[in-house]
Amino acid sequence: MVLLSWAVLAASIVLAVNYFRWLKRPASHLRTVLKTAPVLLLALYAVLAGAPWLLVAALALGVLGDACLAYEGEAAFICGLAAFLASHLAYAALFWPSMEPILLVGSAWRYTAAWIFVVLTGMTLFMLWRPAGRLAIPVAVYGIAILAMALSALAVTPILPAAGAALFVMSDTALAIQKFLVKPDAPVMARLKPFVWGTYVAAQLIFTLAIAGPPSA
């Protein structure tokens, strides 16, 4: 079982790195499979590790979100937004029983990070309000959900969940900029896409290892 867990974890990382080569390619079913495979394997790893069902659910919802966002169009975007919103709520629910709110004010770095999350979320939603158009309200609701997840991760004693949350916030902020504020043919897109993918898969990996733990006998 340990060897299988290591194999699944290694395969997830290898496929995540390999997907960088597909970022510039047009939407296709093959690209969707390659995009969803890394987090799907993390969900399998969580099952093998006997992790809480909320972690498996959060990762599975991430897979659904990845599949939706692998395609173009407003319907696909809304589907992905809904899936990741549910994923963040699952993560927040997972952290909830272990939360110690006093940590957010008793620790200087946690207090600072919490305010950074709040200010960054507020500034991002302010910048997106007009460009997002009729999607502004769904995007705002999503922003509140990821903020709740990030603050929940900051309020648990282990540091890894906070690191995962920070990466997730950075990834989603960059994705929002990519989606609503930057033209598809802008030169910065060549850097935004790898940043969004890299921070996202790193966040999912960190969350998985923080909660399920590394493979062990």
Side-chain angles (χ1 to χ4, degrees):
M1 184 66 74
V2 176
L3 288 177
L4 178 58
S5 294
W6 274 115
V8 170
L9 189 61
S12 172
I13 295 172
V14 169
L15 289 172
V17 173
N18 176 70
Y19 187 70
F20 280 102
R21 300 167 52 194
W22 289 76
L23 290 174
K24 295 182 180 180
R25 301 195 184 187
S28 68
H29 295 322
L30 176 58
R31 195 187 75 159
T32 301
V33 170
L34 293 174
K35 183 178 183 180
T36 57
V39 179
L40 181 61
L41 287 172
L42 289 180
L44 174 58
Y45 173 81
V47 172
L48 293 173
W53 70 268
L54 278 171
L55 173 61
V56 178
L59 291 169
L61 287 165
V63 173
L64 176 59
D66 287 337
C68 293
L69 295 180
Y71 297 98
E72 303 295 334
E74 185 176 297
F77 179 76
I78 293 175
C79 174
L81 195 73
F84 276 111
L85 186 150
S87 178
H88 291 315
L89 293 179
Y91 274 128
L94 181 60
F95 297 136
W96 185 266
S98 303
M99 281 178 57
E100 299 177 53
I102 191 64
L103 290 175
L104 295 179
V105 293
S107 169
W109 73 266
R110 292 177 193 266
Y111 182 76
T112 302
W115 273 110
I116 290 174
F117 288 155
V118 171
V119 172
L120 181 60
T121 301
M123 290 178 60
T124 302
L125 293 179
F126 177 78
M127 290 189 298
L128 295 180
W129 189 255
R130 287 189 177 179
R134 61 181 181 178
L135 294 178
I137 292 179
V139 168
V141 172
Y142 179 84
I144 294 171
I146 192 172
L147 177 61
M149 180 278 291
L151 294 178
S152 298
L154 269 177
V156 298
T157 301
I159 295 176
L160 276 181
L167 287 169
F168 231 132
V169 170
M170 288 190 289
S171 178
D172 278 4
T173 301
L175 179 61
I177 293 172
Q178 172 187 311
K179 174 70 177 178
F180 296 108
L181 301 179
V182 178
K183 294 181 179 180
D185 58 349
V188 72
M189 288 292 280
R191 296 183 180 181
L192 270 177
K193 288 184 177 181
F195 180 82
V196 169
W197 176 249
T199 49
Y200 165 69
V201 293
Q204 294 285 38
L205 176 62
I206 288 173
F207 276 153
T208 302
L209 292 177
I211 300 165
S216 59

